[in-house]
Amino acid sequence: MMRAGLPMYDLPELRAVTDAFWTQLASHMRAEGINDVPLRLEHPIDCEAHWLEPGLLLSQTCGFPLRHCLRDRVTYVATPSYAVEGCGRGTYRSAIIVRADAPIGRLDDLRGATAAFNDMQSQSGMNALRAAVAPFSREGRFFDRVIESGRHEASIRAVADGEADVAAIDCVTWAYLERYRPAEIAGLRVLDMTAEMPGLPFVTAGDATAEQLAKLRASLTQAMLDQALAAVRDALFLSGIVVLPEDAYLAVDRMEQGAADRGYPQLA
């Protein structure tokens, strides 16, 4: 049996609609002639191990690991579009958040503050924030302290509880929390948005054939057009699917290198 998971936006409140999306997507895969389609999605704790599992049929990852730990080890399939503020066709941004009552009006007001970020392999939580504050860094530093929280939700709690002053949160995650957990972000505000980047890509196994890739793309296209999934797509903010050029995710490398060129290679 092949394996599948959609771990990037795996909030418990979304699992029922994500499972409904998968059930219908899986039927389109079978119609395309894909064999051994999993009946259910996995909910991995170790995402890197999940992405590199033998027999991976479909998963979603982040642009940063796609260009680093997963480079040449998985196959890019397509990029979903989301109908939320900060997203475009196959693109997204991060919301740079602070407490609503914080006397912070612009990014350089955060000099000497404490930043929370989810993990070192995150485009939205680490790489985008690093690039945003790099122009204001001095001798390789901008923040007084940085905290690796493990998840976007933990970074949000750190800011809300006063453990941190700022965090960068994937705008799709932020939109989900606005809808499904408004109490969790009460007392917080968006200070700024980071630069536009390619969205979180769907991937398959690194040894996928051109025929398998074409079938996956056709299945995703049909799922995005399927009227039976309209309410599910709305609940997930899904608005479409796009196959980006092969070099689109080089933007991640350019963002990383741009911060290094300013003498700010690490979030610090």
Side-chain angles (χ1 to χ4, degrees):
M1 179 68 72
M2 303 289 280
R3 310 177 76 101
L6 296 173
M8 290 291 92
Y9 299 121
D10 195 21
L11 273 67
E13 296 90 338
L14 292 172
R15 284 189 179 173
V17 288
T18 302
D19 287 346
F21 177 77
W22 175 254
T23 297
Q24 198 70 2
L25 173 58
S27 71
H28 289 294
M29 290 179 175
R30 295 185 190 98
E32 289 291 334
I34 299 175
N35 298 319
D36 298 325
V37 179
L39 295 175
R40 296 177 181 84
L41 292 171
E42 297 177 6
H43 301 282
I45 296 173
D46 184 341
C47 286
E48 184 175 343
H50 160 71
W51 293 323
L52 295 174
E53 283 275 8
L56 181 70
L57 176 61
L58 190 73
S59 188
Q60 187 176 23
T61 185
C62 169
F64 198 89
L66 184 70
R67 293 296 306 157
H68 288 80
C69 65
L70 301 181
R71 187 172 179 177
D72 300 323
R73 303 173 77 186
V74 297
T75 301
Y76 168 77
V77 178
T79 304
S81 297
Y82 294 89
V84 305
E85 184 177 357
C87 287
R89 186 170 180 267
T91 66
Y92 81 128
R93 301 173 187 266
S94 296
I96 299 176
I97 64 159
V98 297
R99 288 183 296 281
D101 59 358
I104 298 167
R106 56 189 191 181
L107 286 178
D108 57 341
D109 291 338
L110 289 163
R111 184 182 309 282
T114 297
F117 69 100
N118 51 344
D119 66 71
M120 292 298 296
Q121 286 288 308
S122 174
Q123 166 57 36
S124 56
M126 186 282 292
N127 196 35
L129 181 59
R130 176 175 58 186
V133 302
F136 311 111
S137 64
R138 296 173 183 167
E139 298 180 348
R141 294 203 67 85
F142 177 72
F143 297 112
D144 178 62
R145 189 166 68 104
V146 296
I147 300 168
E148 185 170 357
S149 70
R151 292 182 61 83
H152 277 310
E153 297 98 305
S155 295
I156 290 168
R157 283 196 300 274
V159 177
D161 293 346
E163 289 183 54
D165 302 297
V166 63
I169 308 299
D170 173 334
C171 66
V172 179
T173 297
W174 185 254
Y176 284 145
L177 294 175
E178 282 186 311
R179 174 175 286 186
Y180 297 106
R181 297 185 193 172
E184 199 163 301
I185 62 171
L188 302 176
R189 63 182 168 90
V190 176
L191 174 68
D192 205 346
M193 300 291 279
T194 63
E196 184 179 52
M197 295 292 286
L200 279 64
F202 291 133
V203 296
T204 189
D207 60 357
T209 66
E211 181 183 6
Q212 290 168 330
L213 186 57
K215 289 179 178 179
L216 284 172
R217 288 172 173 169
S219 302
L220 284 163
T221 298
Q222 289 304 312
M224 294 299 176
L225 297 173
D226 189 341
Q227 285 304 304
L229 278 175
V232 168
R233 288 194 302 270
D234 287 347
L236 295 172
F237 302 132
L238 280 169
S239 61
I241 195 85
V242 60
V243 177
L244 296 175
E246 288 186 16
D247 60 355
Y249 287 88
L250 291 176
V252 172
D253 303 51
R254 291 193 294 271
M255 177 175 274
E256 183 177 19
Q257 187 59 49
D261 290 346
R262 290 180 179 272
Y264 192 63
Q266 298 293 328
L267 187 66

